[in-house]
């Protein structure tokens, strides 16, 4: 992390940076996606190798939840059910304590539309095919840290971009923010965010399905920037140029950037 931030972002992570280790380094992932292929006449599932072509067969993934590995073993035992799988088909395995382990192949729909994740603020409904934090133990540490930060700032307005199922906007609303607005392109995730707000009894959070670049500019133009906290949780590719220019133009007083890719985060912060 220190090397990436210094090399890409020219950011020295000396004083003032707090690195928190994950509670567990094995069997933590609640979702994995495996490619399928026939090897020696047998259907196999695995990850694509570093050459970008060959499949590395996986029978037990060391970082996946035990329940996912148990389900993967069942998939191998039922190999004939996957005989028609195309070489580029993907097997998705996802687990939550409430719903158990689920599987689906490319072109299929999961047996459950919504899955429930247990978080520090309560149960959060997430569309099975939408993104949520894959390491829930670490995620709850992150949620607690963000709640503490927001409680210290107590912003009048929070804008949560790439909000998914609304977890950060909901945390903000429960931690002293005047109001929270979540923006997300995925309409199914936005519906689950609204459901989560209703279930938790939160009236000060609202959610809109829209491209974040357009919505952010419109909202930032109409709010008190000195009272605004911007929360960013972009996909692995980071923030695009349009949104970066919007943020630099409006300059909200506070910003929290969450990322699963230190490299793109360092790149964006350098801007």
């Amino acid at each position: 992390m220190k090397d990436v931030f210094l090399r890409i972002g020219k950011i020295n992570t000396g004083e003032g940076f707090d690195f928190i280790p994950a509670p567990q380094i094995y069997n933590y992932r609640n979702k994995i996606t495996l490619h399928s292929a026939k090897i020696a006449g047998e259907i196999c599932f695995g990850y694509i190798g570093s050459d970008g072509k060959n499949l590395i067969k996986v029978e037990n993934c060391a970082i996946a939840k035990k329940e996912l590995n148990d389900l993967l073993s069942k998939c191998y035992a039922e190999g004939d059910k996957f005989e028609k799988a195309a070489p580029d088909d993907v097997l998705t395995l996802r687990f939550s304590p409430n719903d158990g382990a689920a599987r689906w192949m490319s072109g299929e729909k999961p047996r459950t539309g919504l899955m429930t994740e247990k978080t520090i603020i309560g149960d959060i409904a997430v569309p099975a095919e939408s993104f949520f934090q894959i390491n829930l133990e670490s995620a709850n540490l992150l949620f607690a840290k963000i709640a503490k930060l927001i409680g210290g700032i107590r912003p009048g307005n929070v804008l949560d971009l790439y909000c998914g199922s609304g977890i950060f906007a909901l945390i903000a609303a429960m931690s002293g923010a005047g109001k929270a607005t979540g923006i997300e392109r995925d309409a199914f995730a936005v519906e689950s965010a609204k459901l989560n707000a209703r279930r938790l009894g939160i009236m000060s959070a609202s959610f809109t399905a829209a491209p974040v670049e357009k919505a952010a500019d419109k909202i930032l133009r109409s709010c008190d920037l000195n009272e605004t906290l911007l929360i960013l949780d972009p996909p692995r590719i980071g923030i695009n140029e349009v949104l970066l220019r919007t943020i630099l133009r409006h300059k909200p007083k506070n910003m929290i950037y969450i990322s699963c890719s230190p490299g793109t985060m360092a790149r964006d912060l350098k801007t």
Side-chain angles (χ1 to χ4, degrees):
M1 284 285 289
K2 290 183 178 181
D3 175 69
V4 168
F5 271 75
L6 186 61
R7 177 168 45 84
I8 298 176
K10 309 304 179 188
I11 299 169
N12 188 342
T13 59
E15 298 296 325
F17 280 77
D18 190 13
F19 292 92
I20 302 171
Q24 58 190 83
I25 60 173
Y26 298 111
N27 302 118
Y28 62 83
R29 282 193 69 110
N30 58 22
K31 179 183 179 183
I32 58 174
T33 53
L34 303 172
H35 291 262
S36 62
K38 269 194 174 182
I39 300 176
E42 176 191 6
I43 190 72
C44 295
F45 305 102
Y47 298 116
I48 301 299
S50 58
D51 61 1
K53 298 177 181 178
N54 292 315
L55 183 101
I56 300 172
K57 182 180 178 181
V58 172
E59 294 180 306
N60 186 287
C61 179
I63 61 174
K65 289 281 189 183
K66 176 184 181 299
E67 292 83 355
L68 296 185
N69 281 315
D70 290 344
L71 184 55
L72 178 58
S73 295
K74 187 176 180 180
C75 290
Y76 275 109
E78 300 174 351
D80 57 321
K81 291 185 178 181
F82 301 94
E83 283 297 318
K84 295 182 180 179
D88 58 348
D89 277 355
V90 170
L91 171 67
T92 300
L93 305 176
R94 187 164 186 168
F95 169 78
S96 79
N98 282 43
D99 307 289
R103 76 184 190 197
W104 61 92
M105 290 290 292
S106 300
E108 297 178 348
K109 289 291 182 182
R111 59 176 171 76
T112 177
L114 289 176
M115 300 189 80
T116 302
E117 301 288 355
K118 291 187 176 296
T119 76
I120 62 168
I121 65 168
D123 288 352
I124 295 294
V126 182
E129 295 181 277
S130 294
F131 172 78
F132 195 72
Q133 305 295 326
I134 51 89
N135 185 338
L136 198 54
E137 290 79 10
S138 289
N140 275 319
L141 293 178
L142 171 66
F143 299 157
K145 183 75 171 179
I146 288 176
K148 185 177 180 180
L149 288 171
I150 294 173
I153 298 169
R154 300 188 72 82
N157 178 55
V158 171
L159 179 56
D160 179 10
L161 301 182
Y162 311 98
C163 73
S165 295
I167 183 67
F168 295 116
L170 296 171
I171 288 172
M174 297 174 73
S175 302
K179 66 175 182 178
T181 304
I183 307 296
E184 167 64 50
R185 185 185 294 270
D186 182 346
F188 292 108
V190 168
E191 288 305 309
S192 71
K194 293 177 180 178
L195 173 64
N196 290 326
R198 290 195 300 271
R199 287 179 173 176
L200 294 170
I202 296 173
M203 307 298 293
S204 57
S206 61
F207 301 93
T208 300
V212 295
E213 299 82 8
K214 292 182 180 179
D217 185 54
K218 182 178 180 180
I219 294 172
L220 289 172
R221 277 192 280 111
S222 64
C223 66
D224 182 352
L225 295 173
N226 286 322
E227 283 290 319
T228 297
L229 165 66
L230 183 64
I231 299 178
L232 297 154
D233 184 16
R236 185 174 295 274
I237 59 173
I239 304 170
N240 68 30
E241 288 285 339
V242 174
L243 183 56
L244 278 172
R245 288 197 298 270
T246 296
I247 295 169
L248 291 171
R249 183 166 65 252
H250 292 292
K251 295 183 175 64
K253 185 176 181 179
N254 293 293
M255 182 175 74
I256 296 174
Y257 189 146
I258 301 124
S259 176
C260 62
S261 174
T264 54
M265 184 182 192
R267 179 203 67 196
D268 293 343
L269 292 178
K270 180 182 177 182
T271 304

